[in-house]
Amino acid sequence: MATLSPYIYSADARKQADFYVGVFGGEIISIQSYGDLPGMEDSKKHLVMHLELHALGLRFFMADAGIVANDRGTGMDLALTFKDEEEARTIYDGLAMDGDVIMPFERMFWGTMLGRVRDRYGVMWQVATES
């Protein structure tokens, strides 16, 4: 058995994690900076080496990646599925704030609610309901 946790590389992991706490609830469990490493140059000590965020019953990992954060592939969405339509809509609306709506959150022909959004940090999300 395994668990799958998204690992999100960011230009500013602390700020992005705070945004997700605002949207999802939950909390930042730990932050390790490059300053924790011996001999790290002063200009990089503030950067996040590893951040753990717990929200929605999930565990998210994040790290500062500088330019790499803007150069990641676009062939993947993070998909969140909810039992409750109101909760799903609230999460979708939060992710869409200052982001790009790719597909409005609406009822699909197969019966579930589904929407797709690129958040303000460039992460692609699909938010859906189970029915």
Side-chain angles (χ1 to χ4, degrees), residues 29-82:
I29 300 301
S30 66
I31 301 175
Q32 295 170 303
S33 73
Y34 283 101
D36 296 332
L37 296 173
M40 180 56 60
E41 60 190 76
D42 287 342
S43 66
K44 294 184 181 180
K45 285 185 177 182
H46 70 285
L47 295 174
V48 173
M49 181 174 61
H50 182 76
L51 181 149
E52 185 171 342
L53 165 67
H54 290 188
L56 303 173
L58 302 169
R59 182 172 58 180
F60 297 84
F61 298 128
M62 299 180 71
D64 285 328
I67 193 72
V68 175
N70 298 321
D71 194 28
R72 66 175 163 262
T74 57
M76 182 179 71
D77 292 2
L78 299 178
L80 297 170
T81 304
F82 297 88

Side-chain angles (χ1 to χ4, degrees), residues 90-129:
T90 298
I91 296 297
Y92 177 86
D93 289 344
L95 291 168
M97 195 176 355
D98 298 325
D100 297 312
V101 170
I102 307 303
M103 190 172 91
F105 186 73
E106 58 191 18
R107 182 126 347 249
M108 297 291 108
F109 69 89
W110 57 84
T112 67
M113 297 292 291
L114 176 67
R116 191 167 179 238
V117 62
R118 179 183 301 110
D119 73 23
R120 66 176 73 167
Y121 298 99
V123 177
M124 294 294 294
W125 297 89
Q126 290 183 36
V127 179
T129 59

